[in-house]
Amino acid sequence: MTKAQLQALLNEMTLEEKIGQLLQLAPAFFEGADSAGQITGPLLGMGINEETIYRSGSVLGLGSAKEAIAIQEAHMRNHRLAIPLLIMADVIHGYGTIFPVPLALSCSWDLELAKETAAIAAKEAAVSGIHITFSPMADLSRDPRWGRVMESFGEDPWLNGKFAAALVRGYQGDDFTKEPYKLAACIKHFAAYGAGEGGRDYNTVDISEWMKREFYLPAYKEALNAGCEMVMTAFNTVDGVPATGNKRLMRQLLREEWGFDRVIISDWGAVKEMIAHGVAEDERECARKAIEAGVDIEMMSPCYTHHLKELVEAGEVESARIDEAVMRILELKQKLGLFDNMHRFADATLEMNMVGSKQHRQVAYKSALKSCVLLQNNHKALPLQKEERIALLGPFATSNDILGPWSCMGRPEEAVTVCDGMKTWQAQTGQGSLTTVGCSVENISDEQISAMISVAKTADTIVLALGESSEMSGEAGSRANINLPESQLRLLGEIHKLNKKIIVILFNGRPLDLHEVLSKSDAVLEAWFPGTEGGNAITALLYGEGNPSGRLTMSFPYAVGQIPVYYNHFNTGRPQNAPDAQVRYVSQYLDIPNEPLFPFGYGLSYSDIEYGEIALSSAELCAGEELQLTVQITNRSAIAGEETVQLYVRDMAGETVRPVSELKDYQKIMLAGNESKQVIFTITEEMLRYHHSDLQYSSDPGRFVAMVGPNSRDTEKIMFSLK
């Protein structure tokens, strides 16, 4: 349809039909759904009748092409103007083939790989009838108590933006209106959802406008610059107003200042939640505030449906507000080609052949391999020797709960467990032996511990597969205690008494407090929730067929009392490490260090990588010019490895305080055994800009420190000036 045809369609719609386009419902409401007629509990309280359902504009969370086709056909039979539904879903880290959770994927520092995983997710979802994914999540995450850090890309705003943009390009392609098997992407949660107080989901956010613009907003903007088609509002407050009803945030900043003219959708029930927030007395006020803020689609609450018509008729809401929202939705349906083909790429036969295909699983393997982070490897405990007798013990030894939260249509029974991976490897090589004993995640009995000790006594090496269940992180998965469950620590303690080599593999969705784990193990491999091919990838790393290359994108705390702890913090007026620092009266804890246990950017490998001195092409940088920073990187071992060379910069004196370190660039290089390579970074004036107290974005003349290293802590430094 042309713009004129869309306008003609809009003109033909009744007010009730227009308002219907603004309503999104779960599949259970719709004729043709696998769960149709199973609406119970809270859903009944929505007061949605059959006529309202047939006027609705979108559905979320379908499970197959067959279901999508059935719902769309029934809807088109019953909609007066035959306007097709938008079909959306939480395709977060894969559809049927499940990749590592986003936090893990970001630890690969591989943007092309991230883009490839998103493209595969889009392909599988598109043939299954999905049009839009509620991904990526660009919320800056500094508090591992928050369960949704697993869905984030970590604590650095610049890297968050790079990964968010990469996923958008993977989902949407260069032009999703022309390319097959693409999804429209939805950036979330706008804005600052990751700054919830106490790491508690849905909780209050109260940060300054400067803090938002300097740290929390840039990643969303990167996704929008990449062409992201939709924005989802956050559950939290921003400047004292819930994001879903925040006119200043949505209409002024997002729409007017940033020029975003596409669809804004609420999160589940968030419009009505303004009553609980205490900024609306009833659903009627919720509807008025949300539409005035610029929210086009209300997800799973009935405020628009019940009250927009009377608000328009009473003159409290301009009809133009409704029309602009509907037009944005119609334009998205047109971009997706739904007016020409209501089923788009939904194809039950293709779905059977494409979802979970061998080719897609190969990418799942590669992404899991590159996402694991080796945190400890004392006395070169890893890689394992091929002939070793292994006792594989613990809750994740045989568990297929390795897909993680938000694993869409992934099937745990299709996931490769650690036991599966190791057995396959040993069968293929004809070497080593494996004895496995599993247990539960949170309640390990004395009898189970005794059985595992008995097996461990006969082994050369004990591999303990420990961690969180998928339900312990993700949405509504906040935890005040981020240790491993007590029963797992007790198991580790008992195994440690055997005085044998212990390898710990961790499955989790957040950074953990690992003090006890480190002290009682020789090697620790952070596997996160690695996805469908997790067991095969982990086995390859354990036996040295892969070399760990993952690097943390979120700091691991020394203790939970440090949280939030992140690398790009401010120095304070009394820094702990200042030359004239006093013993007591500095910014420090009395009982623990200030520094995290593992810093941002950290990760070990089996190679021995050495950084040479860094050099600059000039000690001065002028606007419009460039500096070249060079560093020699050498592999002192015979083991080939991939190194992530990281560039940080510190502004020594700004108009506002500046972080002690900021990631500005990085390069991934492959080094053969005993090979050296020169890495060259380009530093420009644009890289040195920041938000001033008046919110202007610019740089200041002065001194800067460039830092290069394998992580944010262990860096070589050199000074330069901006003129």
Side-chain angles (χ1 to χ4, degrees):
M1 283 188 177
T2 64
K3 180 78 172 181
Q5 289 173 318
L6 290 177
Q7 185 61 54
L9 178 60
L10 179 67
N11 294 342
E12 192 177 348
M13 296 169 72
T14 66
L15 180 57
E16 290 89 346
E17 287 170 338
K18 291 176 181 177
I19 293 169
Q21 289 296 305
L22 314 187
L23 175 64
Q24 181 170 91
L25 294 171
F29 285 94
F30 291 87
E31 179 185 345
D34 294 342
S35 55
Q38 299 177 18
I39 303 171
T40 58
L43 301 184
L44 288 173
M46 287 182 66
I48 300 294
N49 59 31
E50 189 174 82
E51 186 178 7
T52 301
I53 295 169
Y54 290 139
R55 287 198 298 258
S56 62
S58 60
V59 58
L60 75 157
L62 300 187
S64 68
K66 178 183 176 182
E67 185 179 30
I69 290 168
I71 285 178
Q72 193 75 281
E73 289 182 347
H75 179 79
M76 294 291 273
R77 285 195 302 269
N78 290 284
H79 194 284
R80 183 179 73 90
L81 296 172
I83 300 176
L85 289 164
L86 287 171
I87 301 175
M88 311 185 194
D90 287 288
V91 185
I92 305 302
H93 52 111
Y95 180 78
T97 304
I98 304 302
F99 304 101
V101 293
L103 183 61
L105 187 62
S106 70
C107 291
S108 73
W109 294 58
D110 192 327
L111 299 176
E112 284 302 313
L113 177 61
K115 179 181 175 183
E116 187 178 10
T117 66
I120 290 172
K123 194 172 186 178
E124 293 189 353
V127 298
S128 303
I130 307 301
H131 308 147
I132 299 166
T133 174
F134 298 130
S135 174
M137 188 183 99
D139 302 325
L140 186 71
S141 300
R142 291 173 164 175
D143 193 332
R145 293 173 298 180
W146 188 41
R148 295 194 83 160
V149 300
M150 54 70 53
E151 203 177 337
S152 80
F153 306 117
E155 69 188 46
D156 182 79
W158 181 83
L159 193 61
N160 277 9
K162 294 297 182 185
F163 270 97
L167 261 65
V168 169
R169 294 186 181 103
Y171 291 133
Q172 297 188 173
D174 295 327
D175 185 349
F176 77 93
T177 66
K178 298 177 181 178
E179 294 181 50
Y181 310 121
K182 294 298 181 184
L183 302 178
C186 175
I187 193 70
K188 63 184 186 182
H189 305 83
F190 199 74
Y193 189 33
E197 291 181 357
R200 206 170 75 230
D201 218 345
Y202 320 117
N203 204 13
T204 300
V205 169
D206 187 11
I207 55 178
S208 69
E209 183 70 13
W210 178 83
M211 180 65 75
K212 286 201 298 286
R213 289 179 180 267
E214 185 67 4
F215 292 98
Y216 286 88
L217 295 181
Y220 307 116
K221 189 65 161 60
E222 282 292 309
L224 297 181
N225 290 344
C228 190
E229 279 293 326
M230 186 179 287
V231 170
M232 180 184 288
T233 65
F235 283 116
N236 53 272
T237 56
V238 178
D239 300 323
V241 180
T244 304
N246 196 315
K247 189 173 182 179
R248 181 182 174 197
L249 179 68
M250 297 298 168
R251 195 169 288 280
Q252 294 179 14
L253 191 152
L254 181 58
R255 292 231 184 267
E256 296 174 11
E257 182 181 335
W258 287 7
F260 181 74
D261 60 357
R262 286 154 276 166
V263 174
I264 297 176
I265 187 171
S266 81
D267 208 333
W268 182 295
V271 172
K272 188 175 179 179
E273 287 175 15
M274 282 190 274
I275 299 172
H277 275 293
V279 299
E281 289 192 357
D282 51 29
E283 289 184 7
R284 190 178 191 276
E285 188 173 4
C286 291
R288 179 179 60 79
K289 289 192 169 185
I291 198 70
E292 288 294 340
V295 175
D296 301 313
I297 298 177
E298 179 183 12
M299 183 195 295
M300 283 303 296
S301 58
C303 303
Y304 281 3
T305 295
H306 290 168
H307 300 287
L308 277 185
K309 184 173 186 290
E310 64 178 284
L311 284 165
V312 171
E313 292 173 343
E316 295 181 48
V317 170
E318 296 178 8
S319 60
R321 292 293 191 216
I322 311 299
D323 286 355
E324 68 177 10
V326 175
M327 180 55 77
R328 282 191 282 264
I329 295 166
L330 294 178
E331 287 174 341
L332 181 53
K333 292 181 178 185
Q334 169 62 15
K335 286 181 183 178
L336 288 162
L338 297 177
F339 290 109
D340 298 320
N341 179 2
M342 65 178 173
H343 297 313
R344 203 165 179 254
F345 302 115
D347 187 316
T349 301
L350 271 179
E351 179 184 32
M352 290 178 61
N353 296 327
M354 189 180 292
V355 176
S357 69
K358 181 179 179 181
Q359 181 183 6
H360 293 175
R361 290 184 72 117
Q362 287 172 347
V363 179
Y365 170 82
K366 179 182 177 183
S367 59
L369 193 76
K370 299 189 75 172
S371 297
C372 293
V373 184
L374 184 61
L375 298 177
Q376 177 169 283
N377 194 21
N378 294 340
H379 312 297
K380 296 186 177 180
L382 288 176
L384 299 172
Q385 300 302 307
K386 292 180 173 61
E387 66 277 5
E388 286 186 73
R389 295 171 299 168
I390 306 298
L392 175 61
L393 313 172
F396 289 92
T398 59
S399 173
N400 56 21
D401 183 21
I402 63 172
L403 302 183
W406 290 122
S407 53
C408 204
M409 302 307 295
R411 298 177 179 176
E413 64 271 19
E414 295 178 357
V416 180
T417 68
V418 180
C419 179
D420 294 335
M422 295 187 75
K423 281 185 175 179
T424 299
W425 185 90
Q426 290 188 350
Q428 291 173 343
T429 62
Q431 293 184 292
S433 67
L434 180 70
T435 308
T436 305
V437 181
C439 59
S440 65
V441 171
E442 296 191 77
N443 297 295
I444 306 174
S445 68
D446 292 340
E447 291 76 14
Q448 287 175 316
I449 290 178
S450 295
M452 285 186 271
I453 290 174
S454 178
V455 167
K457 287 179 178 178
T458 66
D460 300 315
T461 296
I462 298 100
V463 176
L464 283 175
L466 310 176
E468 302 177 306
S469 67
S470 59
E471 292 185 353
M472 293 171 72
S473 63
E475 184 171 359
S478 298
R479 294 179 61 202
N481 179 348
I482 56 172
N483 293 311
L484 287 174
E486 186 60 37
S487 60
Q488 292 187 38
L489 293 176
R490 187 163 68 94
L491 169 63
L492 174 61
E494 292 301 316
I495 295 295
H496 181 253
K497 293 176 183 177
L498 300 177
N499 198 30
K500 293 194 174 190
K501 185 168 72 172
I502 298 175
I503 311 298
V504 170
I505 308 168
L506 292 171
F507 296 85
N508 44 291
R510 54 160 58 84
L512 298 173
D513 180 341
L514 296 179
H515 267 94
E516 193 166 346
V517 175
L518 295 178
S519 66
K520 294 178 180 175
S521 58
D522 297 283
V524 177
L525 181 68
E526 175 57 83
W528 308 104
F529 288 111
T532 304
E533 284 287 322
N536 285 332
I538 290 165
T539 299
L541 293 172
L542 291 179
Y543 280 104
E545 292 191 353
N547 190 349
S549 62
R551 301 294 181 261
L552 297 178
T553 55
M554 194 169 180
S555 302
F556 275 53
Y558 186 93
V560 72
Q562 291 177 316
I563 295 170
V565 59
Y566 47 93
Y567 87 95
N568 48 354
H569 59 85
F570 302 132
N571 207 33
T572 82
R574 293 193 174 189
Q576 185 184 32
N577 57 355
D580 58 349
Q582 302 178 50
V583 174
R584 182 180 180 92
Y585 297 102
V586 293
S587 182
Q588 66 179 353
Y589 297 102
L590 295 179
D591 52 346
I592 60 172
N594 285 7
E595 294 72 27
L597 187 63
F598 295 115
F600 176 86
Y602 180 85
L604 304 175
S605 80
Y606 299 148
S607 306
D608 181 11
I609 306 299
E610 179 181 280
Y611 282 66
E613 290 187 4
I614 55 179
L616 284 169
S617 58
S618 173
E620 294 183 353
L621 172 64
C622 296
E625 298 180 355
E626 298 177 348
L627 285 185
Q628 302 297 318
L629 183 151
T630 59
V631 59
Q632 192 83 357
I633 312 294
T634 302
N635 184 355
R636 295 296 183 189
S637 70
I639 303 172
E642 186 176 49
E643 179 70 2
T644 301
V645 186
Q646 302 162 36
L647 170 68
Y648 299 87
V649 171
R650 179 178 181 182
D651 186 343
M652 296 304 294
E655 191 263 341
T656 63
V657 293
R658 306 305 306 132
V660 297
S661 180
E662 293 180 276
L663 180 68
K664 294 297 182 181
D665 201 358
Y666 68 92
Q667 293 185 33
K668 296 179 71 66
I669 61 170
M670 180 60 69
L671 291 168
N674 302 302
E675 182 184 15
S676 292
K677 284 185 179 178
Q678 187 181 68
V679 174
I680 302 174
F681 289 105
T682 298
I683 300 175
T684 65
E685 176 270 331
E686 289 82 359
M687 296 167 66
L688 309 179
R689 296 175 184 176
Y690 67 97
H691 289 90
H692 288 59
S693 58
D694 62 1
L695 304 183
Q696 294 301 307
Y697 191 67
S698 61
S699 62
D700 299 324
R703 294 182 304 133
F704 293 81
V705 178
M707 297 164 271
V708 175
N711 58 67
S712 59
R713 180 190 64 197
D714 305 314
T715 59
E716 300 290 329
K717 301 175 176 62
I718 193 168
M719 188 83 70
F720 69 95
S721 296
L722 175 64
K723 296 294 184 181

